[in-house]
Amino acid sequence: MAMSRYTKTIERDRLEELKGGLLKILKRFLTEESYKVIELKHLDGFLKLLACEDFDRKSFRRLRAISKFLIGLRIPETALIQAYKLIKNYALLEGKDKLLSNIEFIFKNLYKPYLILHKLERLQDVHFHLEGDLLYQMNKLKEIYLREHKRLIGDIFSDDRVLNLDSEVDSLLSSLEAYFKDSKVYSRLLSLHELYKRTLTSIAVVESDFISLYTLTKDVELIFKDIINLIDEAIISLLSETAFLDVLTGVYSRNYLQLILGKEISFCKRHNIPISVILLDVDDFKLINDKYGHDVGDLVLRFLGESIKRIIRSSDIPVRYGGEEFLILLPFTSLEGAYTAGEKVRSYCESKTFTHNSLSITITISVGVAQVEDFENPWQDIKRADKALYMAKSLGKNMVMIASNDI
């Protein structure tokens, strides 16, 4: 009996060590408030999932809640991989065969949402408002690729992996040949398309654990991103001829925001996905213009636009809201995640020196964040974020403020 109690004590201590290791991985990416929620609620639920004998509906609901929570907080997939390796090492040391089996199932399902963050086809409805058959066709091609990629990624982690791309993609690509003729863009797109299909075929015959499948899936993901980026380049080139792209900064215009805001909000409301907004602008921008001239001021705005695009993820929507003010719409993001994203942009800008010829300037920004609560009128939440931005400025600038519920 004493031995049994001793064994249980040792197991409990090792489980606490595992829990501490998982919290250490996550803590680097969380605010103090988010860390407490994970520690007190979701981590215990996750550990219970690991010990499940059979996965029932309640288990699946818990898994989906944890996955949505991690995505909302913008926890990167690298943290997921670190957690997988930590738990697998623990299971191997303890000789827990059931745990090893559960790990593969749980992490494959936790990882799926990370592969569809860019799933929001922001432009798929826009082409109905734009002139030009080519733009319509390019948007349609992107829409089909996004839809098919989401389906195929889900199939990769299923037991029966049949990874065939819809023939509609081949048909549409063939129809585009007349538009592009001898274009290098079209040739590159065809090459990537064939590579994408060959890589999917090779994955279909592989029997692998989570890490091996993850590695192969990243290969597919990189090819897919190259395809989408190539399509986006063509679309942006066409959009630059419209009022939907801010040519100076390289981000979307306010006209574009007005066009797609309702669609983004409706999507998130329908699927019960959090969506947040960031408003930011350059501190003391008028002084920069007065001291160095408007040409330098324009270059500073371009620098900020490039910085924002470098930091945010592909599902986020950066917009030049007006003057030196920028807005970032963040689907799949809770208030805590929006704060983290705002802080990343702020700290990145502060750490980089803007240079032009012999001129060097340290650029700082003030940031306001809010989660969309009024799905019928999201402009009210944008106003709250704007108010938080000006609160940040009044309290000393170069900081991130969370919006209150008062307008």
Side-chain angles (χ1 to χ4, degrees):
M1 184 67 70
M3 188 63 181
S4 176
R5 269 199 306 270
Y6 174 75
T7 302
K8 289 181 179 179
T9 301
I10 293 295
E11 185 168 333
R12 187 169 58 250
D13 289 344
R14 286 178 177 168
L15 195 60
E16 284 301 313
E17 286 179 12
L18 173 65
K19 185 176 178 180
L22 290 171
L23 286 171
K24 187 177 180 181
I25 291 170
L26 294 172
K27 192 171 185 179
R28 292 182 293 133
F29 308 104
L30 299 172
T31 62
E32 186 176 344
E33 292 78 10
S34 304
Y35 179 76
K36 288 177 181 177
V37 173
I38 281 188
E39 185 177 21
L40 295 175
K41 179 181 177 182
H42 286 287
L43 190 56
D44 285 337
F46 178 70
L47 292 174
K48 287 178 182 177
L49 282 175
L50 289 173
C52 267
E53 289 297 325
D54 294 297
F55 282 85
D56 55 13
R57 288 185 178 181
K58 184 177 180 181
S59 301
F60 278 106
R61 284 198 299 270
R62 181 177 287 156
L63 187 58
R64 283 195 296 269
I66 293 170
S67 182
K68 186 180 291 187
F69 186 69
L70 293 175
I71 290 287
L73 289 176
R74 303 172 77 90
I75 300 295
E77 63 187 51
T78 51
L80 209 61
I81 301 305
Q82 291 170 28
Y84 169 84
K85 291 178 178 178
L86 179 68
I87 297 170
K88 189 163 186 177
N89 286 337
Y90 166 81
L92 289 170
L93 286 171
E94 297 296 310
K96 295 181 178 293
D97 294 336
K98 181 61 179 176
L99 178 55
L100 284 169
S101 173
N102 284 353
I103 289 169
E104 298 299 331
F105 175 82
I106 288 171
F107 276 88
K108 285 175 184 177
N109 282 276
L110 282 178
Y111 180 60
K112 284 181 184 179
Y114 284 84
L115 293 170
I116 58 169
L117 279 176
H118 54 281
K119 180 259 174 189
L120 294 179
E121 303 95 330
R122 298 194 291 273
L123 297 174
Q124 71 176 43
D125 291 334
V126 176
H127 53 240
F128 294 112
H129 302 270
L130 302 176
E131 295 181 1
D133 198 28
L134 177 57
L135 187 57
Y136 173 87
Q137 295 289 349
M138 293 302 293
N139 274 290
K140 186 177 180 182
L141 180 64
K142 180 178 179 180
E143 175 187 345
I144 296 169
Y145 261 121
L146 287 164
R147 183 196 71 208
E148 281 296 286
H149 185 70
K150 179 191 174 186
R151 178 182 65 80
L152 290 164
I153 288 301
D155 289 347
I156 285 174
F157 289 99
S158 66
D159 293 330
D160 182 22
R161 296 198 295 274
V162 180
L163 306 176
N164 297 320
L165 191 63
D166 194 316
S167 59
E168 187 178 3
V169 180
D170 291 290
S171 300
L172 190 52
L173 275 172
S174 297
S175 70
L176 285 170
E177 186 176 8
Y179 293 101
F180 283 103
K181 295 183 180 178
D182 298 325
S183 168
K184 290 181 180 179
V185 172
Y186 182 71
S187 298
R188 175 67 176 151
L189 191 56
L190 278 181
S191 298
L192 287 169
H193 175 68
E194 292 303 321
L195 180 59
Y196 183 72
K197 289 198 295 184
R198 287 198 303 272
T199 308
L200 285 171
T201 301
S202 66
I203 291 176
V205 298
V206 172
E207 290 295 335
S208 305
D209 62 9
F210 170 68
I211 286 294
S212 299
L213 274 179
Y214 168 78
T215 304
L216 291 167
T217 303
K218 292 307 290 182
D219 291 339
V220 174
E221 191 69 11
L222 287 172
I223 299 167
F224 173 73
K225 284 181 179 178
D226 283 344
I227 290 171
I228 295 300
N229 287 338
L230 201 59
I231 295 173
D232 279 344
E233 284 178 19
I235 289 173
I236 287 171
S237 177
L238 294 164
L239 278 175
S240 63
E241 300 170 10
T242 73
F244 294 115
L245 189 74
D246 182 64
V247 178
L248 174 64
T249 61
V251 301
Y252 293 109
S253 68
R254 186 162 177 163
N255 286 341
Y256 182 72
L257 176 69
Q258 291 173 328
L259 183 65
I260 55 86
L261 181 61
K263 172 182 176 292
E264 297 291 336
I265 295 297
S266 296
F267 178 92
C268 290
K269 181 182 179 181
R270 185 165 63 253
H271 295 283
N272 193 27
I273 295 168
I275 180 169
S276 297
V277 64
I278 290 174
L279 274 168
L280 59 89
D281 73 5
V282 182
D283 293 330
D284 301 316
F285 185 69
K286 185 177 184 303
L287 293 178
I288 294 173
N289 271 338
D290 292 345
K291 185 174 182 179
Y292 303 109
H294 288 275
D295 289 344
V296 171
D298 285 348
L299 293 175
V300 167
L301 293 178
R302 180 175 294 171
F303 165 80
L304 182 54
E306 291 171 350
S307 299
I308 290 170
K309 289 193 293 181
R310 187 172 288 113
I311 294 299
I312 63 175
R313 60 192 184 188
S314 57
S315 58
D316 301 331
I317 305 172
V319 174
R320 187 178 180 190
Y321 197 59
E324 69 271 24
E325 194 169 14
F326 290 75
L327 179 148
I328 311 172
L329 197 61
L330 309 167
F332 293 96
T333 304
S334 62
L335 182 61
E336 295 88 346
Y339 179 88
T340 301
E343 180 58 30
K344 282 184 178 179
V345 177
R346 186 207 64 77
S347 60
Y348 179 86
C349 291
E350 184 183 30
S351 68
K352 301 293 180 182
T353 302
F354 167 79
T355 58
H356 176 63
N357 297 331
S358 59
L359 181 66
S360 294
I361 309 173
T362 299
I363 305 297
T364 65
I365 60 172
S366 296
V367 184
V369 301
Q371 183 170 335
V372 174
E373 297 174 354
D374 188 345
F375 285 90
E376 302 305 318
N377 185 12
W379 295 102
Q380 290 296 100
D381 296 300
I382 291 175
K383 285 181 181 178
R384 291 196 301 115
D386 200 35
K387 188 173 181 180
L389 163 61
Y390 283 97
M391 181 65 71
K393 285 191 173 296
S394 67
L395 292 175
K397 305 174 185 176
N398 191 26
M399 65 176 69
V400 182
M401 289 292 294
I402 294 176
S404 70
N405 289 324
D406 302 322
I407 298 296

